[in-house]
Amino acid sequence: MFNIYTNDQPIYTDSDVKHYIYADDTAIAVQHDQFENVEEKLLTTLDILGKYYRRNYLKPNPSKTQICAFYLRNRCANRILNVYWNETKITNTQCPKYLGITLDRSLIYRFHCENIKHKIMTRNGILRKLSGSTWGCNPQVLRTTALALCFSAGEYASPVWGRSSHTKKVDVALKESCRHITGCLNNTPVEQLYILSGIAPLPIRRSTQADWERMKITADPRHPMYGITPQLPRLKSRKSSMNHTKAISSTNPEVERTTRWRNEISSTPSWVPNKSLPSGHNETWPVWRTLNRLRTGIGRTKDNLIKWGLLDSTDTLRICGEVQTMQHIITCTACSQTCTPEDIHKGTSQGINVARIWAEII
């Protein structure tokens, strides 16, 4: 009802002024090479909007309105825009938040990526409560929880900020989410973590989502950005979505994402990306965790503990006289069960039985 009531809001006809309206959020953008002209155009636009609001019995709130200048002049980094609305000076801010995105003066999205990282790390605490050293809930529940809480936050509006150089901070937090799903240790390769979680890596998810948005822009005449001509970048570090995306042929972004994921895998054929958890996820948490550690070759064996400085003893030998490594323990003749690396990767009954034997050790 509010959108219908305010559907006839006046739009300033100047080509340098643009209006962006989403629900009850209205943003006014003015582009010019002089700060004084920007202030003048903003004052004129706000005056027109103020008259419309009063005429329609609406009360604007200048105290909640913010203003920010986006530019690359470092010598004017502390420039304050003097804009008044209803005799109230609008607050200047360096990092305004619009539709959940924290912007900054030079659009590097550093603060936004840091905020996302902290949000994901906080939600990782929920995953941490659902899994421990000896107990954990069903891995499928952990995966669904991670996708709903962590990856949703890490992907929100990624076509806007996904080309920032600070996205690695978000990737670190999501790597932690995958560790909670799989029960793997810190030294586990990231590529293997995503495969064991059944979740495509975030760089692939971001690029697919950005390309999908480009397809919607170019294919739908109703899109606000339809027919837009991308500007040439002034700096190499600024990568606009229209200049660094491509149209995708697939009608399903999930299929496109899986295809790209499989094309980028550089490890052995045993590590095949899948959209779900690998076999063994129906076992108890200690068995599932141990099975994944055997798959990655990163576990608490004697040789690894000495390498990590967690074991002072130089005795790395098993009862059988061989060095205790992740590769040896699955074929150790002193154990009641042995298997091949293929049994571990495929999660056969033999591989799961070996994981049960070592569940309390590695």
Side-chain angles (χ1 to χ4, degrees):
M1 295 298 294
F2 178 82
N3 290 336
I4 296 174
Y5 186 72
T6 61
N7 190 50
D8 60 340
Q9 288 188 60
I11 297 177
Y12 196 48
T13 57
D14 194 312
S15 60
D16 294 334
V17 182
K18 296 184 182 300
H19 292 69
Y20 302 96
I21 301 174
Y22 184 83
D24 60 343
D25 266 327
T26 301
I28 303 171
V30 178
Q31 182 178 3
H32 207 278
D33 56 1
Q34 297 293 329
F35 287 107
E36 292 75 13
N37 291 337
V38 170
E39 294 172 348
E40 180 182 353
K41 291 178 182 294
L42 283 175
L43 285 169
T44 304
T45 305
L46 289 175
D47 183 61
I48 294 174
L49 284 176
K51 293 179 181 178
Y52 166 82
Y53 291 147
R54 288 190 293 270
R55 189 168 60 251
N56 289 274
Y57 306 100
L58 297 172
K59 184 177 180 181
N61 193 343
S63 61
K64 290 187 177 181
T65 306
Q66 295 181 334
I67 189 171
C68 179
F70 303 94
Y71 53 95
L72 299 176
R73 299 177 187 173
N74 290 330
R75 59 188 176 87
C76 300
N78 297 322
R79 182 66 158 79
I80 301 297
L81 294 176
N82 294 313
V83 179
Y84 289 81
W85 194 15
N86 291 349
E87 299 181 353
T88 302
K89 186 175 181 179
I90 297 180
T91 305
N92 280 257
T93 178
Q94 294 292 328
C95 299
K97 191 172 184 179
Y98 181 64
L99 299 180
I101 305 296
T102 303
L103 307 173
D104 53 83
R105 175 177 62 86
S106 52
L107 294 179
I108 60 176
Y109 299 103
R110 171 189 169 188
F111 299 106
H112 181 71
C113 291
E114 290 177 350
N115 291 339
I116 293 179
K117 176 186 176 181
H118 294 318
K119 181 183 293 186
I120 295 174
M121 294 301 289
T122 301
R123 297 180 179 186
N124 280 340
I126 299 177
L127 293 178
R128 194 176 298 112
K129 295 294 184 181
L130 295 176
S131 62
S133 57
T134 59
W135 177 89
C137 65
N138 188 283
Q140 191 63 50
V141 174
L142 289 171
R143 181 178 181 271
T144 303
T145 304
L147 286 172
L149 296 181
C150 304
F151 278 83
S152 62
E155 291 180 322
Y156 174 73
S158 62
V160 176
W161 55 267
R163 290 162 301 281
S164 169
S165 59
H166 298 277
T167 54
K168 293 181 180 178
K169 300 176 181 178
V170 181
D171 295 348
V172 170
L174 289 176
K175 172 190 172 183
E176 186 75 11
S177 303
C178 292
R179 278 208 320 107
H180 291 309
I181 298 173
T182 60
C184 292
L185 300 178
N186 283 330
N187 295 342
T188 307
V190 179
E191 185 180 84
Q192 297 176 3
L193 274 179
Y194 282 115
I195 294 176
L196 291 175
S197 303
I199 301 173
L202 193 60
I204 295 178
R205 299 174 72 93
R206 283 196 298 259
S207 63
T208 305
Q209 187 174 353
D211 293 344
W212 182 256
E213 288 296 327
R214 179 191 176 93
M215 190 197 71
K216 292 194 293 185
I217 291 173
T218 56
D220 190 353
R222 298 170 300 174
H223 199 284
M225 295 181 64
Y226 178 79
I228 190 173
T229 302
Q231 299 291 329
L232 294 176
R234 292 177 57 187
L235 297 176
K236 292 182 178 179
S237 59
R238 304 306 185 273
K239 302 175 182 179
S240 67
S241 60
M242 295 300 291
N243 288 325
H244 292 81
T245 53
K246 58 183 179 180
I248 56 179
S249 56
S250 176
T251 57
N252 190 337
E254 185 176 354
V255 174
E256 178 71 19
R257 186 169 58 210
T258 305
T259 302
R260 294 185 184 184
W261 189 14
R262 289 177 177 171
N263 292 337
E264 291 190 12
I265 289 297
S266 59
S267 57
T268 61
S270 301
W271 295 97
V272 179
N274 196 1
K275 295 183 293 184
S276 60
L277 293 172
S279 56
H281 64 272
N282 292 325
E283 300 294 327
T284 60
W285 172 255
V287 175
W288 162 253
R289 178 200 62 197
T290 305
L291 191 61
N292 288 330
R293 293 181 182 181
L294 289 171
R295 285 166 171 164
T296 60
I298 306 296
R300 292 191 176 95
T301 53
K302 286 187 178 181
D303 65 327
N304 282 336
L305 292 176
I306 292 176
K307 187 189 305 181
W308 300 333
L310 300 176
L311 187 65
D312 296 331
S313 173
T314 57
D315 180 18
T316 62
L317 299 181
R318 285 277 302 151
I319 299 177
C320 62
E322 297 290 337
V323 178
Q324 189 190 57
T325 63
M326 295 296 292
Q327 293 74 25
H328 171 70
I329 61 177
I330 63 175
T331 58
C332 181
T333 56
C335 293
S336 58
Q337 289 282 343
T338 61
C339 67
T340 64
E342 187 177 0
D343 291 327
I344 294 295
H345 284 291
K346 291 185 176 180
T348 63
S349 58
Q350 285 182 289
I352 291 175
N353 288 334
V354 171
R356 287 197 182 101
I357 294 174
W358 295 98
E360 303 298 329
I361 301 175
I362 67 168

